Amino acid sequence: MAALIARVVIGVIFVAHGLQKWTAGLGAISAGFTEMGVPLPQASAAFATIVEVVCGVLLIVGLAVRISAALLLVDMIGALLFVHAAGGVFVTEGGWELVAALGAACLLLIALGGGRIGLDGIIHAVHRRRSRRAAATEPAYEPVPGGLDNAPTRPTVMEEPQRDVPPQGSASGLDDRDMRDVDRLLGDEPTRPHPRKP
C-alpha cells in the first residue's frame, strides 16, 4: 500500500507538470529553455513534456515502473543542473527542493519497484503461477537417449541412490581400511585393543 500511494502521488505530480508544459506549447517551453541555457532546448522541451506525461501515467497504473522512474530521474537531473541549482533550496525562489525530492523518489522506485499493487505486480504474479504449474507438470523421469530403456537417468529426491557399486580400486567392495583389518586378523600379529576413553 505504501508503494502504491507513493507511486500514484509521484505520478500525478509528473502528469500535472507535463500537461502544464503541453498546454503552454512546446514553442514557449523551448523558448524558456533557451533563456535558461538548457542545451538543445527544443529536444529538451519535447523530452520533458512527453516523459512527464507518459511516464507519470505509467507510474500511476504501475506498468514499467523502473524504466519510467529512470527516465523521470534523468528529467529531474537535467532540471536540477540547468535550471534550479543556482536558485537555492526553496521552490518559491526557483530552488531545487521539488526536483530533488521527485528525483529521490524516482531513485527509490528504480531500486525497489512499484510494489505488488499495479500492472507490473499482476504480470509478475501471473508469470510465477505459470512457472509453478509448468514445473509441477514436468515428468519426473527422463528416458535414456536412444529409447532403449525407460528407467530414470538419476534418482529422485525421495529415492536412495544405488549402493551396489564397489569403491574404486577394489573389485571386492572393500576399501584400504577394510583390507588392513583383514590382514591384521589373518596375520600373526595380535590385535591391539582400542584404548579406553578417560
Side-chain angles (χ1 to χ4, degrees), residues 138-192:
E138 285 182 357
Y141 301 104
E142 297 178 1
V144 176
L148 300 178
D149 189 5
N150 291 328
T153 59
R154 60 180 182 273
T156 60
V157 177
M158 299 301 295
E159 292 177 347
E160 286 290 328
Q162 297 180 356
R163 302 182 182 274
D164 56 350
V165 180
Q168 294 182 355
S170 174
S172 62
L174 300 177
D175 58 5
D176 294 337
R177 186 175 181 182
D178 295 331
M179 294 303 295
R180 283 195 300 269
D181 292 339
V182 171
D183 291 339
R184 189 179 298 113
L185 290 173
L186 298 178
D188 295 334
E189 56 178 329
T191 58
R192 297 178 181 178

Side-chain angles (χ1 to χ4, degrees), residues 30-141:
S30 61
F33 281 7
T34 302
E35 294 178 1
M36 289 181 287
V38 178
L40 302 173
Q42 295 180 350
S44 298
F47 175 81
T49 303
I50 294 172
V51 165
E52 289 175 7
V53 173
V54 175
C55 294
V57 172
L58 291 177
L59 288 186
I60 293 172
V61 299
L63 180 62
V65 171
R66 284 188 165 94
I67 298 174
S68 301
L71 293 173
L72 290 168
L73 177 61
V74 171
D75 183 33
M76 292 298 98
I77 291 174
L80 176 65
L81 294 178
F82 298 111
V83 180
H84 298 282
V89 177
F90 300 107
V91 69
T92 55
E93 300 173 0
W96 49 263
E97 61 177 340
L98 177 61
V99 295
L102 291 174
C106 290
L107 188 62
L108 279 177
L109 291 177
I110 293 171
L112 303 178
R116 290 183 293 176
I117 306 176
L119 293 182
D120 282 344
I122 295 173
I123 292 172
H124 291 158
V126 171
H127 180 69
R128 282 195 302 269
R129 290 177 183 175
R130 289 180 179 176
S131 300
R132 290 175 184 172
R133 290 176 184 173
T137 56
E138 285 182 357
Y141 301 104

Side-chain angles (χ1 to χ4, degrees), residues 17-36:
H17 281 273
L19 291 178
Q20 187 181 38
K21 291 181 178 65
W22 183 267
T23 303
L26 293 180
I29 299 300
S30 61
F33 281 7
T34 302
E35 294 178 1
M36 289 181 287

